[in-house]
Amino acid sequence: MGQSACGQASTIYLPSGIRAARERKFHSSCSVNGRVVAVPCYAEKILVVDPTSREAFAIDLPSGISADRGDKFRSSCTVNGRVVAVPQDAEKILVVDVNTSNARRLSLELPTSDVHNTPQFADLVAALLSSWIYGDDPEPPQTMHASFEVHKVIQPGDFGRSLKIASVTAHLPTGKVLYIVFKGTSYMLDFLNWNLEHDHEITGETDFFAHGGTASTIRSTKFLKSDIFLSRLVAARGQGVRKVVFTGHSLGGMYAQMCLFLAWKEMRGTGSLSEVLSSLDLQSFTFGAPMVFGGNSQKARDFKNFAREHAVNYILSDDPCARAWGALNLRHFVQQATLAVKKGLQDTYGSVKGTLASRVVEQIATHLLERPDFLMIEDFARKYEHVVPLRVLSADRQHVRWKEFRLTPECFEDHSIECYVNKLFDAFEQSRPECHIHEQPFEM
């Protein structure tokens, strides 16, 4: 009797510049130094895939080979670390040196869209920067319709800070924007450090609270009160910047929302920082961020009204992390997350499980669920809510309600920042796979 094969299969989104709807895109591929290179048949560009890091990017065809021609190449092979493709109907032989290519995985290629002339282009740039901050590249990806100036990157540990912060000025068609980008050093399945206790010190009210862990981290960094931040704001304003965007993915998005709140609170006071902040348009674009606040005081309602015009949190399909903490069953979340890791969850940047092995995740999950105060933790969680407007990214044309989702091991794949970036570009570019943005009713 033959034995059945055991294994796993997963998907990687096609990069910008390669249309998913086009048929007979590639006919030949080969392996070069751990990467797969596919030469185009009817596709417009060369495809390079790194299966280890789960990255894919496109390389433009060289001059002399028309991207619009069909049936360009059907055969390729590797020679001394290079890929050589002989033409079917292409005009010339193609030689690809992947190691010297400066192609990047993410780009703002929107050939049929005019979104770069609208305010929503700032959302797309925020998503790109929220992806970039996970890596070690000193510069953001090259983009169409935008250029970047990186001012400072504060690494975890610098000045005692436990998060990564980057300040970047983006030159967009609609004007200059200063982005403050956040990345946390923790991750969603760091169960033992969730710290869901309600922090009232940072809000100053008994009926308005913030996430304990987020408030503690931001308070300890003293970022908004630092000379670095004030100096950057003053310099940016002098250079023509009129909009400041706090942004981040996952826990980084929680820090971004917290800083928007603190900046809003600072604007209501006096002093040089208040004066500078009041002269700028403050916004926050976050991606898959869990809930940060709760309560119903007058200050809470005032901040909600401010956030209604100045912030948005994107939620991708069934991403359960964006429903934490008050819109899901916390015990079920922990159980399904543990199963996801055991099944080989693809987590390129470690935003879900960090670097933990599945057995370690299972151990700390068991420890959490068996804690005698777990009922109290659940009670803390239930009182959180989203105070910023929500937009759901989905392939469904029919309106999707953010509280209606499937909590399964597979849905944790939707938390990837790569997925968020790709789906946002899908939503604004008709040559890419279909995606819709569903605005959610604002709840006061």
Side-chain angles (χ1 to χ4, degrees):
M1 179 181 294
Q3 294 183 338
S4 59
C6 296
Q8 294 179 341
S10 60
T11 61
I12 301 174
Y13 285 100
L14 285 168
S16 300
I18 297 178
R19 289 185 284 176
R22 182 182 286 278
E23 297 180 349
R24 292 185 286 174
K25 292 181 280 293
F26 302 97
H27 194 275
S28 175
S29 63
C30 51
S31 173
V32 183
N33 298 330
R35 291 172 168 176
V36 175
V37 179
V39 295
C41 187
Y42 282 82
E44 302 90 339
K45 299 188 178 187
I46 303 159
L47 173 65
V48 181
V49 181
D50 187 331
T52 302
S53 65
R54 294 181 53 77
E55 295 182 343
F57 55 85
I59 301 176
D60 291 330
L61 286 167
S63 59
I65 298 178
S66 174
D68 296 328
R69 183 185 289 271
D71 210 9
K72 291 182 281 292
F73 302 97
R74 290 194 180 187
S75 177
S76 63
C77 63
T78 58
V79 181
N80 296 327
R82 293 180 174 86
V83 177
V84 179
V86 294
Q88 178 73 13
D89 287 342
E91 301 91 333
K92 296 182 179 180
I93 299 168
L94 175 65
V95 180
V96 184
D97 189 343
V98 180
N99 295 323
T100 61
S101 169
N102 61 0
R104 296 173 181 263
R105 178 173 51 85
L106 297 173
S107 65
L108 290 176
E109 293 191 39
L110 299 161
T112 68
S113 173
D114 63 353
V115 68
H116 57 277
N117 292 318
T118 72
Q120 287 179 301
F121 190 56
D123 300 38
L124 294 175
V125 173
L128 194 76
L129 293 175
S130 296
S131 172
W132 161 73
I133 199 171
Y134 275 102
D136 298 321
D137 195 330
E139 298 292 332
Q142 296 176 350
T143 63
M144 292 176 62
H145 311 299
S147 60
F148 301 105
E149 180 184 357
V150 179
H151 304 294
K152 189 174 185 63
V153 178
I154 301 173
Q155 299 289 347
D158 290 355
F159 312 111
R161 292 174 171 85
S162 59
L163 67 161
K164 185 177 180 180
I165 310 172
S167 62
V168 182
T169 295
H171 300 257
L172 311 181
T174 53
K176 295 180 181 179
V177 179
L178 176 63
Y179 287 89
I180 309 297
V181 195
F182 295 87
K183 172 190 173 293
T185 57
S186 189
Y187 41 89
M188 283 302 301
L189 301 196
D190 189 7
F191 303 129
L192 301 183
N193 291 304
W194 272 355
N195 192 358
L196 298 183
E197 294 185 15
H198 301 167
D199 188 300
H200 296 274
E201 179 184 346
I202 206 162
T203 62
E205 298 200 343
T206 56
D207 193 19
F208 183 26
F209 65 85
H211 180 267
T214 305
S216 175
T217 298
I218 291 296
R219 186 186 296 113
S220 66
T221 65
K222 299 181 175 62
F223 174 68
L224 282 179
K225 296 288 189 178
S226 68
D227 292 337
I228 295 174
F229 182 59
L230 179 58
S231 299
R232 174 44 44 205
L233 288 181
V234 172
R237 189 175 63 171
Q239 295 165 357
V241 170
R242 294 295 176 263
K243 179 185 294 186
V244 176
V245 173
F246 300 102
T247 189
H249 164 254
S250 190
L251 303 187
M254 296 179 73
Y255 298 130
Q257 290 184 28
M258 178 65 73
C259 283
L260 179 71
F261 165 72
L262 292 175
W264 168 78
K265 192 169 73 167
E266 189 70 33
M267 285 194 303
R268 294 152 63 98
T270 58
S272 55
L273 179 57
S274 174
E275 183 274 324
V276 175
L277 288 171
S278 298
S279 68
L280 298 165
D281 178 13
L282 303 182
Q283 298 189 358
S284 174
F285 305 135
T286 55
F287 310 92
M291 301 168 185
V292 186
F293 300 100
N296 196 38
S297 70
Q298 184 59 52
K299 181 187 285 187
R301 293 194 294 272
D302 289 345
F303 177 60
K304 275 188 178 181
N305 278 326
F306 175 79
R308 186 174 189 173
E309 303 296 330
H310 294 265
V312 64
N313 185 38
Y314 284 93
I315 298 178
L316 175 59
S317 301
D318 290 320
D319 177 5
C321 303
R323 275 85 176 187
W325 312 96
L328 47 71
N329 181 304
L330 208 61
R331 181 177 294 275
H332 191 207
F333 175 84
V334 173
Q335 292 168 339
Q336 295 301 303
T338 304
L339 283 175
V341 175
K342 290 176 68 175
K343 288 185 174 183
L345 171 69
Q346 299 294 333
D347 187 23
T348 303
Y349 294 121
S351 60
V352 178
K353 66 181 180 67
T355 59
L356 298 182
S358 62
R359 61 179 179 81
V360 178
V361 172
E362 189 171 10
Q363 289 171 358
I364 61 176
T366 300
H367 178 76
L368 173 68
L369 297 178
E370 292 180 350
R371 280 177 55 165
D373 62 345
F374 185 72
L375 289 177
M376 183 183 297
I377 295 173
E378 288 184 304
D379 187 56
F380 282 140
R382 276 191 290 268
K383 296 175 182 177
Y384 282 92
E385 60 179 305
H386 278 302
V387 303
V388 305
L390 303 175
R391 295 175 186 166
V392 176
L393 298 167
S394 173
D396 294 334
R397 294 187 179 186
Q398 186 174 353
H399 184 74
V400 175
R401 296 179 177 85
W402 75 275
K403 287 186 178 180
E404 298 177 359
F405 69 104
R406 299 175 300 112
L407 183 49
T408 66
E410 291 72 27
C411 70
F412 284 85
E413 301 279 358
D414 284 345
H415 191 57
S416 163
I417 183 58
E418 295 169 300
C419 294
Y420 273 91
V421 173
N422 277 289
K423 286 300 182 182
L424 269 170
F425 283 98
D426 290 349
F428 292 106
E429 173 53 49
Q430 64 182 12
S431 67
R432 295 169 64 99
E434 188 173 11
C435 182
H436 301 275
I437 299 176
H438 301 285
E439 302 267 357
Q440 303 297 299
F442 188 75
E443 301 175 1
M444 283 298 296

